[in-house]
Amino acid sequence: MSESAQEDYDRCLQEAEEERAEQRAKLFLPVGEKVDGFVIAEEGEDAPKLVEEIESLCMNCHENGITRMLLTKIPYFREIILMSFSCEHCNFSNCEVQAAGEIQLQGARYVLKMGQLPDMERQIVKSDSAVFRIEEVDLEVPAGRGRLTNVEGILSDILRDLEKPQKRRKQEDPELYGKIDAVVQRLIKMMSGSQFPYTISLDDPTGNSWIEPSPLDGAGKYTKTEYARTLEQNASLGLSGGDEETEAIEAAENEEAKRTKMAELGADQVIQAELGPGTAEVYNIVDGQMYSLPLHCPGCTKPANMNIQSVNIPYFKQVIITAVVCTHCGYRTNDVKTGGEYPDKGQRIILSVESSKDLRRDILKSETCCLKIPECPLEVEPGTMGGRFTTVEGLLTQVRDDLRGNIYDVDDIKGTGGDSMPSSDKAAWDEFFRKLDGAIRGEMKYTVVMEDPLGNSYVQSFFAPDPDPQITIEEYTRTAAEEDDLGLNDMKTHMNDEGDYVKTAPIGSGAPLPAGHEFAAEFAVAETSLAHASAERQWAKEQTAAASAGPAQNGGLHPDIAMLNIKSNSSPEDVATNSS
């Protein structure tokens, strides 16, 4: 296909997509706009309908009932279909909600820490594939009927479902009745506001569920995390199937097992295992060169490629930039990974942005970094955006676009946020975005704070290698929660004499034992003996080399003389102090 023909083809696709988007916008209007456009019919004319009515079979009495459907748009979210059914014969009725949009490229998990009664009024869209949880009670509402409700409504539904068969349980299984009654009493306290705080979560592999945010949410109160679906989740959603897809899943599982095995080997061993012995020196990772690895798309499970490039950031470290683009479903994502060992402490970087020049600074935000701008105020929790390597302006622009899409919806051109957004919330969001836009344009002075428990984040210094007066770097001790989230409490990196991995390094490994350990003194003596033996070997080599060079070069001091005071007059505790 020639270049001009390709341009015509792309233009036709774009025009068709714009036409479909325009038709979709006319179908899915907020309820307020539909009511405003409602015209009362004159006498003799057919009355217009706000909802579609369809005659359908009642599954309770098998007579015909009426199903009503309303196509609308939820503020902060996207298009949905509200459906209700009623039967005039048996008075059976129900209602549910279904996502009208496509399955998103990634799944989404929302976490909200309930702390006050107004949080009970937050809207919840739960699709038929979402799982709702109350973490403190370990109570889970599995995937099932979709719902459009709020936190109080979904808690009421759970409470009603648990209480309904309690009388029968009390007679048939008193033990089970007692356990469920304890959960019921906790739910009652949660709904009355006497059980704060507690945490609720909503996990949807389709990405079509949602918990309403608030502009007043503080640090860690509300988090949204997007994740790649597993092969099993794609299969359950109907995104994979048939013999070809089954073979793809099996191939992906084999690749995963192979990667797990290769992860246990060193880099040279991996290259030799893949390409044969003697090839480790030939196939080195070269900075700036792009490599491509085959994988299966997380969106559609079909074959795709991951492009990888190693970049050496001056005065920082080497990072790996990855990008995945699927030609089948259009899925695309990028990420930045840093390497190296885990530091003993976390790192806090404080950048003072004083002019538009500072917006051009390179910045690396790792996936474990918490980004804060107190003047806006803005706080981006770890894991929300993944790893990003861009400029200060680019990072803030991406944060703004993501937030605006979640608040005003990507198709809400007017930026009104829908007819049901409270005026106070709209004013708060407008003020927040006004400040954030000013920060992006460099119209205000502000501070960017990056707290990374692994120290893998970076801000470019204009004075490197000398200190930058606008950048302050601090170390801080990680909290117990951060250690647990990073998996450091369960990490075993040292092998003992039996061949088992343990958290504490064995004697002679070079890693000190914790202060106050019962074998700390013996460990220090053993380490000193090992150091002395190593020094003796080094001294012997020097004497041999000096003897061959001539007597004038032979003037080294034997290690026994250098350590005489330590060995003759020191206790084990003193040895530990002197050897350090």
Side-chain angles (χ1 to χ4, degrees):
M1 183 181 295
S2 63
E3 184 177 351
S4 60
Q6 181 65 40
E7 292 178 355
D8 293 340
Y9 177 75
D10 294 339
R11 186 176 63 257
C12 291
L13 286 180
Q14 184 177 359
E15 292 176 354
E17 184 65 28
E18 292 176 354
E19 184 178 354
R20 285 195 297 268
E22 184 178 354
Q23 294 176 352
R24 188 183 188 89
K26 292 179 180 179
L27 285 175
F28 293 91
L29 294 175
V31 176
E33 293 187 20
K34 287 196 172 186
V35 174
D36 291 340
F38 183 77
V39 179
I40 300 177
E42 297 181 0
E43 186 176 356
E45 296 182 357
D46 294 334
K49 295 181 179 180
L50 291 177
V51 297
E52 298 293 333
E53 295 185 355
I54 302 174
E55 189 175 356
S56 54
L57 180 66
C58 175
M59 302 307 296
N60 188 45
C61 67
H62 302 290
E63 297 288 342
N64 285 338
I66 299 296
T67 297
R68 294 176 175 85
M69 295 188 300
L70 173 65
L71 283 64
T72 184
K73 181 188 295 184
I74 298 296
Y76 318 109
F77 192 50
R78 54 177 65 93
E79 301 92 345
I80 63 170
I81 301 176
L82 294 174
M83 296 187 297
S84 67
F85 174 82
S86 61
C87 178
E88 62 180 6
H89 303 283
C90 64
N91 295 324
F92 174 77
S93 63
N94 70 351
C95 60
E96 64 177 295
V97 59
Q98 288 188 358
E102 61 185 8
I103 295 177
Q104 305 304 307
L105 295 177
Q106 291 184 310
R109 184 173 188 269
Y110 297 85
V111 178
L112 174 63
K113 294 183 179 179
M114 304 288 293
Q116 52 188 349
L117 283 175
D119 293 335
M120 304 290 288
E121 302 174 2
R122 300 202 186 205
Q123 285 188 348
I124 290 181
V125 177
K126 179 185 178 297
S127 73
D128 54 4
S129 59
V131 175
F132 178 85
R133 283 184 55 86
I134 305 176
E135 303 297 340
E136 284 74 9
V137 189
D138 197 19
L139 189 149
E140 181 175 296
V141 179
R145 182 169 59 91
R147 300 180 184 179
L148 170 61
T149 179
N150 55 18
V151 176
E152 183 180 6
I154 198 168
L155 293 182
S156 299
D157 292 343
I158 296 173
L159 184 60
R160 183 179 61 252
D161 293 342
L162 289 177
E163 283 184 328
K164 190 173 182 179
Q166 276 292 81
K167 292 182 179 179
R168 188 179 71 251
R169 290 196 194 102
K170 189 173 183 180
Q171 297 176 354
E172 298 177 355
D173 194 342
E175 183 180 356
L176 179 61
Y177 165 83
K179 293 180 179 179
I180 294 181
D181 185 67
V183 176
V184 168
Q185 297 305 318
R186 291 194 64 179
L187 286 175
I188 293 175
K189 292 181 179 179
M190 288 178 179
M191 294 186 62
S192 64
S194 59
Q195 192 68 30
F196 292 132
Y198 58 93
T199 305
I200 62 173
S201 64
L202 190 63
D203 193 332
D204 186 0
T206 67
N208 286 328
S209 294
W210 168 80
I211 296 179
E212 179 185 358
S214 170
L216 304 179
D217 289 338
K221 181 176 178 64
Y222 179 93
T223 58
K224 174 190 175 183
T225 305
E226 294 183 342
Y227 60 88
R229 285 185 293 269
T230 63
L231 296 173
E232 292 78 9
Q233 288 174 331
N234 278 325
S236 65
L237 296 175
L239 297 179
S240 61
D243 296 337
E244 295 182 359
E245 303 294 348
T246 302
E247 293 177 0
I249 292 176
E250 292 177 354
E253 291 176 348
N254 294 334
E255 289 179 6
E256 181 66 25
K258 187 177 181 180
R259 285 195 296 267
T260 302
K261 181 178 179 181
M262 291 302 181
E264 301 174 358
L265 305 175
D268 293 347
Q269 294 173 296
V270 171
I271 295 175
Q272 292 178 10
E274 290 286 332
L275 305 175
T279 57
E281 294 78 9
V282 179
Y283 294 93
N284 288 328
I285 300 296
V286 179
D287 286 347
Q289 183 173 342
M290 184 177 296
Y291 300 85
S292 182
L293 296 179
L295 50 74
H296 285 82
C297 173
C300 64
T301 71
K302 293 183 179 179
N305 287 322
M306 173 187 287
N307 296 325
I308 301 176
Q309 187 174 18
S310 176
V311 177
N312 188 13
I313 301 179
Y315 307 105
F316 184 55
K317 61 174 65 174
Q318 193 174 35
V319 300
I320 303 295
I321 300 177
T322 64
V324 178
V325 178
C326 179
T327 57
H328 300 282
C329 67
Y331 173 87
R332 59 180 60 209
T333 183
N334 58 80
D335 202 355
V336 179
K337 301 290 185 182
T338 56
E341 61 182 5
Y342 283 2
D344 295 332
K345 293 185 177 182
Q347 188 180 75
R348 182 182 296 108
I349 303 177
I350 304 174
L351 169 66
S352 297
V353 179
E354 299 180 355
S355 65
S356 58
K357 178 183 177 181
D358 296 320
L359 299 176
R360 297 193 295 269
R361 291 178 186 261
D362 290 337
I363 187 169
L364 170 62
K365 176 196 170 296
S366 74
E367 58 184 2
T368 59
C369 174
C370 177
L371 176 68
K372 301 178 182 179
I373 301 180
E375 290 81 2
C376 283
L378 169 70
E379 182 162 342
V380 180
E381 292 293 320
T384 303
M385 299 175 57
R388 290 291 182 269
F389 182 39
T390 177
T391 61
V392 175
E393 180 182 5
L395 182 62
L396 297 186
T397 301
Q398 185 172 5
V399 171
R400 180 199 60 188
D401 294 344
D402 290 348
L403 285 175
R404 189 180 292 275
N406 290 331
I407 301 307
Y408 291 145
D409 197 354
V410 293
D411 296 327
D412 190 1
I413 302 175
K414 298 178 182 179
T416 59
D419 57 280
S420 64
M421 177 185 285
S423 57
S424 59
D425 287 356
K426 184 177 184 301
W429 284 118
D430 289 342
E431 177 64 16
F432 169 79
F433 284 116
R434 185 189 66 79
K435 291 183 178 179
L436 190 55
D437 288 338
I440 293 174
R441 292 191 295 265
E443 298 175 353
M444 57 181 286
K445 294 183 179 181
Y446 56 94
T447 305
V448 177
V449 182
M450 303 175 66
E451 293 183 355
D452 193 337
L454 296 183
N456 285 333
S457 296
Y458 158 83
V459 174
Q460 179 186 8
S461 170
F462 288 157
F463 296 85
D466 297 328
D468 192 320
Q470 294 178 229
I471 298 178
T472 303
I473 300 178
E474 304 172 350
E475 289 187 344
Y476 68 93
T477 303
R478 287 188 291 263
T479 63
E482 289 176 332
E483 294 271 352
D484 188 60
D485 291 341
L486 296 171
L488 299 181
N489 292 332
D490 301 324
M491 190 175 294
K492 299 178 180 181
T493 58
H494 302 287
M495 183 178 292
N496 59 16
D497 296 336
E498 287 76 20
D500 298 327
Y501 281 97
V502 295
K503 294 181 66 175
T504 305
I507 293 178
S509 65
L513 289 175
H517 194 280
E518 58 180 334
F519 297 119
E522 290 81 352
F523 173 80
V525 173
E527 287 294 311
T528 304
S529 300
L530 289 172
H532 183 218
S534 177
E536 283 186 328
R537 290 192 297 270
Q538 182 64 25
W539 179 82
K541 291 180 181 179
E542 292 175 355
Q543 294 303 305
T544 303
S548 60
Q553 302 293 331
N554 189 2
L557 185 64
H558 193 277
D560 282 342
I561 301 176
M563 302 188 67
L564 181 60
N565 292 333
I566 296 178
K567 297 181 70 174
S568 61
N569 300 321
S570 300
S571 64
E573 290 78 6
D574 294 333
V575 171
T577 303
N578 292 330
S579 62
S580 62

